[in-house]
Amino acid sequence: MHIRGDHAELVVGGRLDVRSAADARTVLRSAVDDGAGDLVLDLTELNSWDATGLGVIMGAHRRAGRAGRQLVLRGVPPQMQRLLVATRLHRILAIEGGIAADSLPRV
């Protein structure tokens, strides 16, 4: 997993899973605490995430809300969009362009 960017936009790539969760959590906390305005997470380079990785995203979402900021997901890959729809988290998270749940291909 790699994360690059600043306190306004971060690009997350690789795998966001149990092995990378602690590092990702640290970077996201710093970005939320040290910035202002929306925090955009660009996920176009993200290959996969597991439940722990999704928990990291949700933790950053809650922390951003407490800081008066909004976490915005950009470039969510289709397989991850399906997971957000299945868990109904697409209704809670801000997703740039939204997710048209009925247009997602079924697996």
Side-chain angles (χ1 to χ4, degrees):
M1 190 244 359
H2 64 273
I3 300 178
R4 66 179 189 278
D6 56 24
H7 305 297
E9 182 173 342
L10 296 170
V11 177
V12 182
R15 297 176 57 124
L16 182 54
D17 57 18
V18 69
R19 285 176 270 163
S20 60
D23 292 336
R25 193 174 291 115
T26 299
V27 172
L28 291 173
R29 280 182 184 159
S30 175
V32 168
D33 293 348
D34 296 340
D38 290 350
L39 172 59
V40 177
L41 287 186
D42 186 331
L43 304 179
T44 55
E45 297 178 16
L46 190 64
N47 297 327
S48 65
W49 62 19
D50 66 6
T52 305
L54 186 54
V56 169
I57 299 288
M58 291 307 299
H61 164 76
R62 286 188 300 274
R63 189 176 192 95
R66 287 192 303 267
R69 300 183 71 187
Q70 181 176 21
L71 182 73
V72 179
L73 303 182
R74 173 184 293 156
V76 181
Q79 69 273 19
M80 291 170 222
Q81 288 183 21
R82 285 190 291 277
L83 179 62
L84 292 176
V85 169
T87 58
R88 296 187 178 169
L89 292 174
H90 71 292
R91 296 179 180 181
I92 297 169
L93 295 167
I95 301 169
E96 194 173 81
I99 294 178
D102 55 347
S103 70
L104 291 175
R106 299 199 184 264
V107 176

